[in-house]
Protein backbone atom coordinates (compact mmCIF):
# COMPACT_ATOMS: atom_id res chain seq x y z
CA UNK A 1 0.00 0.00 0.00
CA UNK A 2 2.97 2.29 0.62
CA UNK A 3 4.02 2.04 -3.03
CA UNK A 4 0.46 3.02 -3.98
CA UNK A 5 0.79 5.86 -1.51
CA UNK A 6 4.17 6.84 -2.85
CA UNK A 7 3.77 6.43 -6.61
CA UNK A 8 0.12 7.40 -6.94
CA UNK A 9 0.09 10.07 -4.29
CA UNK A 10 1.26 13.32 -5.89
CA UNK A 11 1.45 14.79 -2.40
CA UNK A 12 4.50 12.66 -1.54
CA UNK A 13 7.74 13.71 -3.25
CA UNK A 14 9.46 10.66 -4.75
CA UNK A 15 12.60 11.79 -2.91
CA UNK A 16 10.89 11.80 0.52
CA UNK A 17 12.75 8.58 1.38
CA UNK A 18 16.07 10.42 1.04
CA UNK A 19 15.50 13.19 3.59
CA UNK A 20 17.74 11.67 6.28
CA UNK A 21 17.31 13.33 9.69
CA UNK A 22 14.91 15.81 8.04
CA UNK A 23 12.58 12.95 7.14
CA UNK A 24 8.99 12.30 8.24
CA UNK A 25 8.38 9.37 10.63
CA UNK A 26 5.69 8.02 8.27
CA UNK A 27 8.36 7.25 5.64
CA UNK A 28 9.84 4.55 7.89
CA UNK A 29 6.41 3.10 8.73
CA UNK A 30 4.30 3.70 5.60
CA UNK A 31 1.21 1.97 7.04
CA UNK A 32 0.86 5.08 9.25
CA UNK A 33 0.05 7.21 6.19
CA UNK A 34 -3.39 5.58 6.04
CA UNK A 35 -3.85 5.18 9.81
CA UNK A 36 -1.56 7.17 12.10
CA UNK A 37 -2.65 5.05 15.10
CA UNK A 38 -2.07 1.66 13.44
CA UNK A 39 0.23 -0.77 15.26
CA UNK A 40 1.79 -4.01 14.09
CA UNK A 41 1.20 -6.33 17.07
CA UNK A 42 2.57 -9.31 15.17
CA UNK A 43 6.10 -7.97 15.58
CA UNK A 44 5.94 -8.33 19.33
CA UNK A 45 5.44 -12.03 19.75
CA UNK A 46 7.31 -12.88 22.96
CA UNK A 47 8.91 -16.33 22.90
CA UNK A 48 6.12 -17.76 25.00
CA UNK A 49 2.63 -16.73 26.03
CA UNK A 50 3.69 -16.56 29.67
CA UNK A 51 6.10 -13.68 29.00
CA UNK A 52 4.78 -10.45 30.47
CA UNK A 53 6.38 -7.03 30.03
CA UNK A 54 7.68 -5.56 33.31
CA UNK A 55 9.60 -2.43 32.17
CA UNK A 56 9.85 -0.23 29.09
CA UNK A 57 12.37 2.49 28.33
CA UNK A 58 11.77 4.70 25.29
CA UNK A 59 14.48 7.09 24.05
CA UNK A 60 12.77 9.34 21.55
CA UNK A 61 13.90 12.12 19.25
CA UNK A 62 11.66 15.21 19.33
CA UNK A 63 9.00 15.54 16.66
CA UNK A 64 8.98 17.50 13.41
CA UNK A 65 10.55 20.91 13.83
CA UNK A 66 11.27 24.15 11.99
CA UNK A 67 14.71 24.57 10.41
CA UNK A 68 17.51 25.89 12.57
CA UNK A 69 18.37 29.56 12.00
CA UNK A 70 21.62 28.46 10.34
CA UNK A 71 19.59 26.72 7.64
CA UNK A 72 16.87 29.39 7.38
CA UNK A 73 19.59 31.85 6.33
CA UNK A 74 20.77 29.47 3.57
CA UNK A 75 17.20 28.82 2.41
CA UNK A 76 16.53 32.57 2.17
CA UNK A 77 19.75 33.04 0.19
CA UNK A 78 18.73 30.33 -2.26
CA UNK A 79 15.21 31.74 -2.59
CA UNK A 80 16.68 35.11 -3.57
CA UNK A 81 18.85 33.48 -6.26
CA UNK A 82 15.74 31.81 -7.74
CA UNK A 83 13.69 35.00 -7.55
CA UNK A 84 16.32 37.26 -9.09
CA UNK A 85 18.31 35.06 -11.50
CA UNK A 86 16.27 32.03 -12.56
CA UNK A 87 14.47 32.01 -15.90
CA UNK A 88 12.33 29.57 -17.84
CA UNK A 89 8.70 28.72 -18.51
CA UNK A 90 8.36 25.63 -16.30
CA UNK A 91 5.18 25.72 -14.22
CA UNK A 92 7.05 24.83 -11.02
CA UNK A 93 9.40 27.80 -11.53
CA UNK A 94 6.52 30.16 -12.12
CA UNK A 95 4.88 28.80 -8.96
CA UNK A 96 8.06 29.55 -6.95
CA UNK A 97 8.47 33.00 -8.47
CA UNK A 98 4.82 34.11 -8.47
CA UNK A 99 2.98 32.21 -5.73
CA UNK A 100 5.35 30.72 -3.15
CA UNK A 101 6.44 33.14 -0.40
CA UNK A 102 9.39 32.76 1.95
CA UNK A 103 7.71 32.14 5.30
CA UNK A 104 10.64 30.70 7.26
CA UNK A 105 12.10 33.07 9.87
CA UNK A 106 15.39 32.79 11.72
CA UNK A 107 13.68 32.98 15.11
CA UNK A 108 11.88 29.72 14.36
CA UNK A 109 15.26 28.17 15.26
CA UNK A 110 14.33 24.52 15.36
CA UNK A 111 11.15 24.88 17.40
CA UNK A 112 8.57 22.12 17.33
CA UNK A 113 5.77 22.51 14.77
CA UNK A 114 2.16 21.32 15.11
CA UNK A 115 3.01 18.17 13.13
CA UNK A 116 5.78 17.48 15.66
CA UNK A 117 3.31 17.68 18.55
CA UNK A 118 1.10 15.16 16.76
CA UNK A 119 4.11 12.94 16.04
CA UNK A 120 4.53 12.47 19.80
CA UNK A 121 0.82 12.38 20.69
CA UNK A 122 0.26 9.60 18.18
CA UNK A 123 3.43 7.73 19.17
CA UNK A 124 2.25 7.74 22.79
CA UNK A 125 -1.10 6.25 21.80
CA UNK A 126 0.51 3.60 19.55
CA UNK A 127 2.93 2.56 22.32
CA UNK A 128 0.01 2.30 24.78
CA UNK A 129 -1.73 -0.02 22.27
CA UNK A 130 1.44 -2.13 21.92
CA UNK A 131 2.12 -2.31 25.68
CA UNK A 132 -1.27 -1.82 27.41
CA UNK A 133 -0.13 -3.33 30.73
CA UNK A 134 2.74 -0.84 31.02
CA UNK A 135 1.50 2.34 29.34
CA UNK A 136 -1.89 2.42 31.04
CA UNK A 137 -4.05 4.96 32.83
CA UNK A 138 -3.45 3.13 36.10
CA UNK A 139 0.35 3.23 35.70
CA UNK A 140 0.27 6.89 34.68
CA UNK A 141 -1.97 7.95 37.55
CA UNK A 142 0.07 5.80 39.95
CA UNK A 143 3.30 7.59 39.09
CA UNK A 144 4.90 4.52 37.52
CA UNK A 145 5.62 6.37 34.25
CA UNK A 146 8.56 8.80 34.35
CA UNK A 147 9.42 11.52 31.82
CA UNK A 148 12.92 12.90 31.22
CA UNK A 149 13.72 15.51 28.56
CA UNK A 150 16.44 17.68 27.05
CA UNK A 151 15.99 21.34 27.96
CA UNK A 152 15.57 22.40 24.32
CA UNK A 153 12.03 23.64 23.68
CA UNK A 154 11.50 21.13 20.84
CA UNK A 155 12.12 18.33 23.34
CA UNK A 156 10.12 19.81 26.24
CA UNK A 157 7.19 20.45 23.89
CA UNK A 158 7.49 16.92 22.51
CA UNK A 159 7.36 15.57 26.08
CA UNK A 160 4.25 17.66 26.82
CA UNK A 161 2.70 16.32 23.60
CA UNK A 162 3.52 12.70 24.50
CA UNK A 163 1.81 13.20 27.88
CA UNK A 164 -1.14 14.96 26.22
CA UNK A 165 -1.58 11.97 23.91
CA UNK A 166 -2.14 9.80 26.98
CA UNK A 167 -4.22 12.23 29.07
CA UNK A 168 -6.51 12.88 26.08
CA UNK A 169 -6.77 9.17 25.33
CA UNK A 170 -7.88 8.46 28.88
CA UNK A 171 -9.67 11.80 29.36
CA UNK A 172 -7.57 12.61 32.43
CA UNK A 173 -8.23 16.23 33.47
CA UNK A 174 -7.82 16.06 37.24
CA UNK A 175 -4.11 15.19 37.42
CA UNK A 176 -0.85 16.67 36.16
CA UNK A 177 2.31 14.70 35.48
CA UNK A 178 5.85 15.96 35.95
CA UNK A 179 8.87 15.63 33.72
CA UNK A 180 12.52 16.01 34.66
CA UNK A 181 14.79 18.22 32.53
CA UNK A 182 18.11 16.40 32.48
CA UNK A 183 20.69 17.60 29.94
CA UNK A 184 23.47 15.53 31.54
CA UNK A 185 21.58 12.52 30.17
CA UNK A 186 19.80 13.88 27.10
CA UNK A 187 22.50 16.28 25.90
CA UNK A 188 25.54 14.38 27.16
CA UNK A 189 27.59 15.61 24.17
CA UNK A 190 27.59 19.16 25.63
CA UNK A 191 29.53 17.90 28.68
CA UNK A 192 32.01 15.57 27.03
CA UNK A 193 35.22 17.65 26.80
CA UNK A 194 37.02 15.19 24.56
CA UNK A 195 34.11 15.16 22.08
CA UNK A 196 33.90 18.97 22.11
CA UNK A 197 37.65 19.33 21.52
CA UNK A 198 38.29 16.46 19.09
CA UNK A 199 35.07 16.56 17.06
CA UNK A 200 32.54 19.32 17.69
CA UNK A 201 35.08 22.20 17.69
CA UNK A 202 37.61 20.55 15.39
CA UNK A 203 36.98 21.49 11.72
CA UNK A 204 39.38 18.83 10.48
CA UNK A 205 37.11 16.19 12.02
CA UNK A 206 34.67 16.80 9.15
CA UNK A 207 37.25 16.37 6.38
CA UNK A 208 35.36 13.53 4.68
CA UNK A 209 32.15 15.56 4.72
CA UNK A 210 33.87 18.64 3.33
CA UNK A 211 35.67 16.65 0.64
CA UNK A 212 32.44 14.99 -0.51
CA UNK A 213 30.68 18.36 -0.67
CA UNK A 214 33.50 19.62 -2.92
CA UNK A 215 33.62 16.39 -4.90
CA UNK A 216 32.38 15.25 -8.30
CA UNK A 217 29.02 13.81 -7.24
CA UNK A 218 27.93 16.99 -5.46
CA UNK A 219 29.27 19.21 -8.22
CA UNK A 220 27.10 17.34 -10.75
CA UNK A 221 24.04 17.92 -8.55
CA UNK A 222 24.85 21.63 -8.39
CA UNK A 223 25.23 21.84 -12.19
CA UNK A 224 21.91 20.05 -12.78
CA UNK A 225 20.11 22.44 -10.42
CA UNK A 226 21.76 25.40 -12.19
CA UNK A 227 20.66 24.02 -15.57
CA UNK A 228 17.07 23.60 -14.34
CA UNK A 229 17.08 27.22 -13.13
CA UNK A 230 19.12 28.48 -16.08
CA UNK A 231 21.55 30.25 -13.77
CA UNK A 232 25.36 30.29 -13.82
CA UNK A 233 27.06 27.22 -12.35
CA UNK A 234 28.95 29.26 -9.75
CA UNK A 235 25.65 30.53 -8.33
CA UNK A 236 24.72 27.07 -7.07
CA UNK A 237 27.26 26.11 -4.40
CA UNK A 238 26.99 22.89 -2.37
CA UNK A 239 25.41 24.96 0.41
CA UNK A 240 22.78 26.24 -2.03
CA UNK A 241 22.04 22.73 -3.30
CA UNK A 242 21.56 21.64 0.34
CA UNK A 243 19.33 24.66 1.03
CA UNK A 244 17.13 23.74 -1.94
CA UNK A 245 16.90 20.17 -0.60
CA UNK A 246 15.89 21.51 2.82
CA UNK A 247 13.16 23.67 1.25
CA UNK A 248 11.66 20.55 -0.33
CA UNK A 249 12.12 18.50 2.88
CA UNK A 250 10.70 21.10 5.31
CA UNK A 251 7.71 22.00 3.10
CA UNK A 252 6.89 18.29 3.08
CA UNK A 253 7.63 17.47 6.75
CA UNK A 254 5.90 20.57 8.16
CA UNK A 255 3.06 21.12 5.67
CA UNK A 256 2.82 17.66 4.06
CA UNK A 257 2.98 19.26 0.61
CA UNK A 258 4.99 18.24 -2.42
CA UNK A 259 6.28 21.75 -3.08
CA UNK A 260 7.74 23.03 -6.37
CA UNK A 261 11.18 23.02 -4.70
CA UNK A 262 11.22 19.24 -5.05
CA UNK A 263 11.22 19.60 -8.84
CA UNK A 264 14.86 20.71 -8.61
CA UNK A 265 15.98 17.14 -7.83
CA UNK A 266 15.87 13.72 -9.42
CA UNK A 267 16.50 10.44 -7.57
CA UNK A 268 20.26 10.57 -8.21
CA UNK A 269 20.53 14.10 -6.84
CA UNK A 270 18.52 13.16 -3.72
CA UNK A 271 20.76 10.16 -2.99
CA UNK A 272 23.88 12.33 -3.20
CA UNK A 273 22.41 14.90 -0.79
CA UNK A 274 21.23 12.08 1.49
CA UNK A 275 24.77 10.67 1.55
CA UNK A 276 26.19 14.10 2.44
CA UNK A 277 23.89 14.20 5.49
CA UNK A 278 24.75 10.61 6.42
CA UNK A 279 28.47 11.48 6.16
CA UNK A 280 27.95 14.35 8.64
CA UNK A 281 26.06 12.10 11.04
CA UNK A 282 28.63 9.27 10.64
CA UNK A 283 31.64 11.45 11.46
CA UNK A 284 29.96 13.77 13.99
CA UNK A 285 27.69 11.35 15.83
CA UNK A 286 28.36 7.82 14.56
CA UNK A 287 31.19 5.37 13.89
CA UNK A 288 33.59 8.02 12.56
CA UNK A 289 35.26 8.64 15.93
CA UNK A 290 35.18 6.40 19.01
CA UNK A 291 34.48 9.35 21.31
CA UNK A 292 31.17 9.98 19.49
CA UNK A 293 29.63 6.80 20.93
CA UNK A 294 31.66 6.82 24.20
CA UNK A 295 30.12 10.21 25.05
CA UNK A 296 26.80 8.33 25.41
CA UNK A 297 28.17 6.06 28.20
CA UNK A 298 26.21 8.03 30.80
CA UNK A 299 22.94 7.28 28.98
CA UNK A 300 23.94 3.65 28.35
CA UNK A 301 24.56 3.05 32.08
CA UNK A 302 21.40 4.93 33.04
CA UNK A 303 19.30 2.64 30.82
CA UNK A 304 20.86 -0.57 32.12
CA UNK A 305 20.71 0.52 35.76
CA UNK A 306 16.97 1.03 35.35
CA UNK A 307 16.58 -2.37 33.66
CA UNK A 308 18.54 -3.99 36.53
CA UNK A 309 16.37 -2.23 39.12
CA UNK A 310 13.20 -3.45 37.42
CA UNK A 311 14.64 -6.98 37.21
CA UNK A 312 15.55 -7.08 40.91
CA UNK A 313 12.25 -5.57 42.08
CA UNK A 314 10.42 -8.11 39.93
CA UNK A 315 12.56 -10.96 41.27
CA UNK A 316 11.79 -10.02 44.89
CA UNK A 317 8.09 -9.98 44.08
CA UNK A 318 7.77 -6.22 44.49
CA UNK A 319 5.87 -3.97 42.11
CA UNK A 320 8.31 -2.42 39.61
CA UNK A 321 8.46 1.20 40.77
CA UNK A 322 9.46 2.60 37.37
CA UNK A 323 7.40 0.64 34.85
CA UNK A 324 8.01 3.07 31.99
CA UNK A 325 10.63 5.76 31.30
CA UNK A 326 10.09 8.14 28.40
CA UNK A 327 13.25 10.07 27.51
CA UNK A 328 13.09 12.80 24.85
CA UNK A 329 16.25 14.03 23.14
CA UNK A 330 17.83 14.73 19.76
CA UNK A 331 19.17 12.87 16.77
CA UNK A 332 22.53 13.40 18.42
CA UNK A 333 21.26 11.75 21.60
CA UNK A 334 20.07 8.59 19.86
CA UNK A 335 22.73 8.09 17.22
CA UNK A 336 25.75 7.83 19.57
CA UNK A 337 23.83 5.30 21.71
CA UNK A 338 22.84 3.19 18.68
CA UNK A 339 26.51 3.32 17.62
CA UNK A 340 27.68 2.24 21.11
CA UNK A 341 25.32 -0.75 20.80
CA UNK A 342 26.90 -1.59 17.44
CA UNK A 343 23.73 -1.10 15.41
CA UNK A 344 23.79 -0.17 11.70
CA UNK A 345 27.53 -0.67 11.36
CA UNK A 346 28.82 -1.24 7.82
CA UNK A 347 31.96 -3.17 6.91
CA UNK A 348 33.52 0.03 5.58
CA UNK A 349 33.48 3.61 6.87
CA UNK A 350 31.45 6.12 4.91
CA UNK A 351 34.03 8.30 3.17
CA UNK A 352 34.14 11.01 0.51
CA UNK A 353 35.49 8.48 -2.02
CA UNK A 354 33.33 5.35 -1.60
CA UNK A 355 29.85 6.77 -2.26
CA UNK A 356 29.21 4.35 -5.13
CA UNK A 357 29.98 1.32 -2.92
CA UNK A 358 27.79 2.59 -0.06
CA UNK A 359 24.46 2.70 -1.86
CA UNK A 360 23.21 -0.28 0.21
CA UNK A 361 24.70 0.95 3.49
CA UNK A 362 23.12 0.10 6.88
CA UNK A 363 24.07 3.51 8.27
CA UNK A 364 21.22 5.41 6.62
CA UNK A 365 19.60 8.09 8.75
CA UNK A 366 16.51 8.19 6.49
CA UNK A 367 15.59 4.76 7.95
CA UNK A 368 17.10 5.19 11.42
CA UNK A 369 16.52 8.79 12.49
CA UNK A 370 13.42 10.54 11.17
CA UNK A 371 11.61 13.02 13.41
CA UNK A 372 10.25 11.18 16.49
CA UNK A 373 12.64 8.27 15.90
CA UNK A 374 12.59 6.03 18.95
CA UNK A 375 14.56 3.22 20.55
CA UNK A 376 12.29 1.18 22.83
CA UNK A 377 13.70 -1.49 25.16
CA UNK A 378 11.10 -3.83 26.68
CA UNK A 379 12.04 -6.16 29.56
CA UNK A 380 9.86 -9.30 29.84
CA UNK A 381 9.50 -11.80 32.69
CA UNK A 382 8.95 -15.17 30.97
CA UNK A 383 8.70 -17.19 34.19
CA UNK A 384 11.26 -19.32 35.99
CA UNK A 385 13.66 -16.37 36.27
CA UNK A 386 13.78 -16.16 32.49
CA UNK A 387 14.07 -12.45 31.68
CA UNK A 388 14.18 -11.35 28.03
CA UNK A 389 14.82 -7.93 26.45
CA UNK A 390 13.31 -6.82 23.17
CA UNK A 391 14.82 -3.83 21.34
CA UNK A 392 12.57 -1.94 18.92
CA UNK A 393 13.65 0.89 16.64
CA UNK A 394 10.81 3.00 15.25
CA UNK A 395 8.32 0.30 16.36
CA UNK A 396 10.16 -2.50 14.53
CA UNK A 397 12.33 -5.22 16.14
CA UNK A 398 16.08 -4.81 15.75
CA UNK A 399 18.67 -7.36 16.72
CA UNK A 400 21.63 -6.61 18.89
CA UNK A 401 24.60 -7.44 16.62
CA UNK A 402 26.40 -10.63 17.49
CA UNK A 403 23.66 -12.17 19.65
CA UNK A 404 23.03 -15.62 18.23
CA UNK A 405 20.18 -16.63 20.59
CA UNK A 406 17.67 -18.56 18.49
CA UNK A 407 15.05 -16.10 19.66
CA UNK A 408 17.35 -13.25 18.60
CA UNK A 409 14.38 -10.93 18.37
CA UNK A 410 14.01 -11.28 22.14
CA UNK A 411 17.29 -12.52 23.65
CA UNK A 412 17.81 -13.42 27.30
CA UNK A 413 18.55 -10.27 29.31
CA UNK A 414 21.53 -12.09 30.81
CA UNK A 415 22.95 -12.80 27.35
CA UNK A 416 22.63 -9.14 26.44
CA UNK A 417 24.46 -8.10 29.60
CA UNK A 418 27.24 -10.60 28.85
CA UNK A 419 27.43 -9.34 25.28
CA UNK A 420 27.86 -5.76 26.50
CA UNK A 421 29.80 -6.65 29.67
CA UNK A 422 32.89 -4.67 28.63
CA UNK A 423 30.76 -1.53 28.29
CA UNK A 424 28.80 -2.31 31.43
CA UNK A 425 31.99 -2.65 33.46
CA UNK A 426 33.74 0.20 31.66
CA UNK A 427 32.50 3.00 29.48
CA UNK A 428 33.04 5.52 32.26
CA UNK A 429 31.82 8.90 30.99
CA UNK A 430 34.31 10.93 33.07
CA UNK A 431 37.27 8.80 32.00
CA UNK A 432 36.23 8.59 28.35
CA UNK A 433 35.59 12.34 28.11
CA UNK A 434 38.59 13.63 30.05
CA UNK A 435 41.28 15.58 28.23
CA UNK A 436 44.74 14.19 28.88
O1 LIG B 1 21.53 20.92 9.89
P1 LIG B 1 20.83 21.36 11.15
O2 LIG B 1 21.18 22.72 11.62
O3 LIG B 1 19.36 21.11 11.12
O4 LIG B 1 21.44 20.38 12.25
C1 LIG B 1 20.89 20.45 13.52
C2 LIG B 1 20.49 19.08 13.93
O5 LIG B 1 19.56 18.59 12.99
P2 LIG B 1 19.87 17.26 12.19
O6 LIG B 1 21.20 17.46 11.55
O7 LIG B 1 19.93 16.17 13.20
O8 LIG B 1 18.75 17.18 11.23
C3 LIG B 1 19.85 19.13 15.29
O9 LIG B 1 19.47 17.82 15.65
P3 LIG B 1 17.96 17.61 16.15
O10 LIG B 1 17.81 16.15 16.38
O11 LIG B 1 17.84 18.42 17.42
O12 LIG B 1 17.09 18.12 15.03
C4 LIG B 1 20.86 19.66 16.29
O13 LIG B 1 20.22 19.73 17.56
C5 LIG B 1 21.32 21.04 15.87
O14 LIG B 1 22.30 21.46 16.75
C6 LIG B 1 21.91 20.98 14.48
O15 LIG B 1 22.98 20.05 14.48
P4 LIG B 1 24.45 20.54 14.14
O16 LIG B 1 25.25 19.27 14.18
O17 LIG B 1 24.78 21.50 15.23
O18 LIG B 1 24.38 21.16 12.77
Amino acid sequence: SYLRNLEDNPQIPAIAKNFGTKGRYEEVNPYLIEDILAVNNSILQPPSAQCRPIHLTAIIRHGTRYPTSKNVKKMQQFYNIVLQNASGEDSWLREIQNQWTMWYKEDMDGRLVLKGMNDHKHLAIRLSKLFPSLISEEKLRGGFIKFITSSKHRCVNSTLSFKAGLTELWEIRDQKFDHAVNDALMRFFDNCKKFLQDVDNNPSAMTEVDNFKKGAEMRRVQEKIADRLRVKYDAITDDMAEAAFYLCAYEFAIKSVNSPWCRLFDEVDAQVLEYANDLKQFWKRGYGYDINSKSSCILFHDVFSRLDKAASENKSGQQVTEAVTVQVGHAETLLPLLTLLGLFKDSENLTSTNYAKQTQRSFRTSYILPYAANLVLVLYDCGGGDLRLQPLLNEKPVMFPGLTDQKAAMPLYQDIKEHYSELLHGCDFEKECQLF
Side-chain angles (χ1 to χ4, degrees), residues 94-140:
R94 284 209 301 275
E95 186 180 344
I96 291 173
Q97 292 181 323
N98 306 328
Q99 292 166 41
W100 198 85
T101 53
M102 171 49 75
W103 63 287
Y104 295 102
K105 303 283 180 263
E106 284 183 40
D107 63 1
M108 289 173 170
D109 199 18
R111 289 178 183 278
L112 200 70
V113 299
L114 175 62
K115 172 66 168 56
M117 297 169 192
N118 288 326
D119 291 337
H120 271 247
K121 271 191 179 182
H122 296 143
L123 174 62
I125 295 168
R126 294 198 303 272
L127 290 178
S128 74
K129 288 167 74 174
L130 285 170
F131 304 102
S133 66
L134 289 178
I135 303 182
S136 66
E137 178 176 357
E138 182 203 359
K139 292 280 190 221
L140 182 61

Side-chain angles (χ1 to χ4, degrees), residues 382-399:
C382 295
D386 180 0
L387 290 183
R388 289 183 179 274
L389 186 70
Q390 181 178 41
L392 302 171
L393 184 78
N394 304 331
E395 301 167 71
K396 289 172 284 196
V398 285
M399 299 207 184

Side-chain angles (χ1 to χ4, degrees), residues 85 226 230-236:
N85 306 38
R230 298 186 193 181
V231 300
K232 291 186 300 171
Y233 280 2
D234 61 10
I236 307 299

Side-chain angles (χ1 to χ4, degrees), residues 21-22 61 65 68 70 154 280 284 330-332:
T21 52
K22 312 280 195 279
R61 184 185 179 201
R65 62 169 175 77
T68 52
K70 168 182 74 177
R154 53 182 172 273
K280 171 206 164 181
K284 189 165 187 181
H330 303 266
E332 62 268 28

